[in-house]
Amino acid sequence: MAHERIILGIDPGTTIMGFGLIKVERNSMIFLQLNELNLSKLEDHYLKLQRIFERTIELIDTYHPDEIAIEAPFFGKNVQSMLKLGRAQGVAMAAGLSRQIPITEYEPKKIKMAITGNGNASKEQVAKMLQQLLGLKSLPKNLDSTDGLAVAVCHFFNLGKTVVGKSYSGWEAFVNQNKDRISK
């Protein structure tokens, strides 16, 4: 494992995409940034996806992350919401894959467990723990950005473990691991 690396964490969404960046030096985390992309003013779903792709590329080109950690969509009752969320995740993943950055997905419960020790923790509990872990002076009003940061921190805690989640190092790896999703 390299002594220094940057991890971009993404909480995908079609209304708000949260993201956070940390730098890892030796075995320590250093907070770099957390923010959100607010898409609520865009009505067209395809424009939202385009904006997610563009913002993810912008983050990659600005911070040069070595790895991307992304929250996997959770299974809910509203199929349309799940489809939209899956598309948002896919577009963010495509941006990373287009730059050959390894991507790892984490289930929401695994992220909460890694940060708080409780897989059912609230957004507020996760945010407060991140504040303590990273020495953040204050928390943002909207916690989607801390959700993105939580994914990056979860990835840091899982570095070096053999089973972390689904990982892809590029398009070829994605295709090889998802043959059942490919139509002929």
Side-chain angles (χ1 to χ4, degrees), residues 73-86:
F74 57 91
F75 297 101
K77 292 179 181 169
N78 186 331
V79 176
Q80 285 301 316
S81 294
M82 278 182 46
L83 284 171
K84 287 179 180 179
L85 187 59

Side-chain angles (χ1 to χ4, degrees), residues 157-176:
F157 287 144
N158 282 282
L159 287 173
K161 292 187 179 174
T162 52
V163 179
V164 293
K166 291 184 180 178
S167 293
Y168 311 108
S169 57
W171 284 114
E172 188 175 342
F174 179 82
V175 170
N176 287 336

Side-chain angles (χ1 to χ4, degrees), residues 115 123-133 139 146:
I115 305 302
K123 281 180 174 275
E124 292 78 16
Q125 289 171 315
V126 171
K128 284 287 188 193
M129 186 58 78
L130 287 171
Q131 187 175 23
Q132 287 182 322
L133 286 168
L139 291 172
T146 53

